[in-house]
Amino acid sequence: MYSILEYRGLREGSSCGYCRLQGGKASHGMWAHSLTVQDYQDLIDRGWRRSGKYVYKPLMSQTCCPQYTIRLSAVNYQLNKSHKKVLKKMQRFLQDGEVSHSANDGISVEPMDSQADSPVSCNVSCTAIPKDELKPLSAEVEETEKQQGERETEKSTVDEAHKEHGDPIEMAKGKTTVHSMPKPGKGADTTRPPCRKAKDLRKERRLQKMLLQKGDQTSSSEHPAVTPTSSKPKANGIKSIEDFIDVPDRENVAHRLEVKLVPASMEDPEFVASFDSSAALYAKYQMCVHKDLPYECGPEEFTRFLCDSPLEMETRQDGISSGYGSFHQQYWLDGKLIAVGVIDILPYCVSSVYLYYDPDYSFLSLGVYSALREITFTRELQKKAADLCYYYMGFYIHTCPKMRYKGQYKPSQLLCPESYTWVPIEKCFPLLESSKYSRFHSNPREGDKDHLAELCRVRILHKRTVMPYSVYKKRRKGPSDETAVKQYATLVGQTCAERMLLYRS
């Protein structure tokens, strides 16, 4: 089984979907007729990414918004407060039917991301280049706005504390706070208990609740109030992401959510049976969220963008039962399809491709929830295939504030665009603050270990015959194409260049 690709060269001068700069984008592209999962794994570890059958790699030093490949160690994933809120909201909805709306639950009208890096149509008789980003902006805006709402809540809490107790940050800095003279009055009401901090009251209520749950009927007088110096009651144990996602299978639950993994193939009966529902959901999402016109998100466009995949389905004896390749992870709520996450299962990771969902259920924060489900799915696969331990979220774009949310999934790493080594994202932030294009590896002498060393060994597919470039070069008639072949081999690396087949007409 071979990967067969056509190198399309450098494409530059198109409009950027992130910063709106005209002519700011630059990327290399290939059309993949077929692609093994191992070859694609190696390509994304060199900064490549697929959209349908089109595979592209941003020219990091020239593009206006550099896109850095980001990956999360799923097995070491740290569940944060923001993500817990989303999981708890889904739990309450499924168990009790509770719907919690907020000002930030609305659909974003940013007409971005699904077309942010869409390559132009190439002169190929039977192929149309599809859209090419990884997560719809609605998921990103949903994450950003939700966190912004939390920050505003925290800010209001701090403001209230500031009014009552002064600004603790300013006090810590040693600055003098000037207070105005109090208005004349009768002073404190001696019939009322003294004022106490809200934090202390919460601690006291928490302790009393714990005591009641344990069946302790001792009077409150025997349990003095918790003072600011009291230690925080320890929880019975830190919950994992699985504890929040696994909803007890009870008869009296309000809703039932079923997540199905379906191969993205018209040869799969289950995929074919759900195709119309999935295509209709995609059209509804694109028109509502991205303001597409009906002809821009019809069944043909849906098929090219999210169903056609160059990845060859593969099974391994020591691997996972589902196999490796492209899949649709369908979310069925009470028998109704409400979301679909398109993913690639590769030897070392689960790679997120796209998400579309029913805008009527935006109050469930499905963009965030689906990412957490995919992380959990990766953790499940890792138990059967030890090497499959990462979750790839596509590209991290530091210059686009709405794309920075990916860095809050921890522990994450960014791919160094020069050495192709992985660096903890916390070490990359200072570099990206000073320069939008940065080399992350600290050793300036550390280069690409898989750099092109022998051009003659690059594999070529010419006139249905596989041959090394050294033989093809002698047989070729017409002008030399050595520059293009060398550029391709440099970008994919020596290993892939010797393993994959570069089609030359």
Side-chain angles (χ1 to χ4, degrees), residues 371-417:
L372 297 174
R373 289 293 302 234
E374 290 169 6
I375 293 171
T376 307
F377 179 59
T378 306
R379 290 159 64 98
E380 294 174 0
L381 296 181
Q382 194 273 337
K383 295 176 182 178
K384 302 175 182 178
D387 292 338
L388 204 164
C389 57
Y390 291 103
Y391 175 60
Y392 284 55
M393 300 185 71
F395 289 129
Y396 173 82
I397 306 173
H398 196 74
T399 54
C400 181
K402 291 177 181 177
M403 294 292 286
R404 294 187 186 183
Y405 79 96
K406 296 180 181 181
Q408 297 185 11
Y409 291 79
K410 297 178 180 180
S412 290
Q413 300 170 313
L414 295 185
L415 184 69
C416 176

Side-chain angles (χ1 to χ4, degrees), residues 163-219:
K163 292 177 182 178
E164 184 176 357
H165 306 290
D167 191 337
I169 298 178
E170 295 299 316
M171 294 168 65
K173 291 180 179 179
K175 295 184 178 180
T176 303
T177 305
V178 179
H179 298 282
S180 58
M181 293 297 294
K183 294 181 179 180
K186 298 181 180 180
D189 188 350
T190 57
T191 62
R192 287 189 170 187
C195 294
R196 296 167 58 192
K197 291 183 178 180
K199 180 173 67 174
D200 298 336
L201 293 173
R202 289 195 300 269
K203 287 183 177 181
E204 182 178 0
R205 285 196 297 268
R206 190 183 301 114
L207 179 59
Q208 291 175 350
K209 185 177 180 181
M210 291 176 64
L211 293 174
L212 289 174
Q213 289 176 347
K214 292 179 180 179
D216 191 341
Q217 302 299 326
T218 308
S219 63

Side-chain angles (χ1 to χ4, degrees), residues 330-353:
Q330 302 175 341
Y331 296 75
W332 295 86
L333 180 67
D334 301 329
K336 177 184 178 181
L337 185 64
I338 64 166
V340 177
V342 183
I343 61 174
D344 293 331
I345 301 179
L346 304 176
Y348 310 137
C349 74
V350 169
S351 174
S352 176
V353 178

Side-chain angles (χ1 to χ4, degrees), residues 215-287:
D216 191 341
Q217 302 299 326
T218 308
S219 63
S220 59
S221 61
E222 296 178 11
H223 298 280
V226 180
T227 63
T229 58
S230 300
S231 60
K232 185 177 181 179
K234 294 183 179 180
N236 294 331
I238 300 176
K239 289 187 177 181
S240 67
I241 186 173
E242 288 82 4
D243 295 328
F244 288 96
I245 285 180
D246 295 336
V247 178
D249 188 13
R250 303 192 311 236
E251 293 183 359
N252 59 344
V253 293
H255 301 284
R256 294 187 181 276
L257 178 67
E258 183 181 6
V259 182
K260 295 182 181 179
L261 184 69
V262 183
S265 170
M266 295 304 292
E267 297 179 359
D268 183 82
E270 195 168 6
F271 181 81
V272 174
S274 60
F275 179 85
D276 290 342
S277 298
S278 192
L281 179 62
Y282 170 76
K284 181 179 181 179
Y285 171 82
Q286 292 295 125
M287 289 188 290

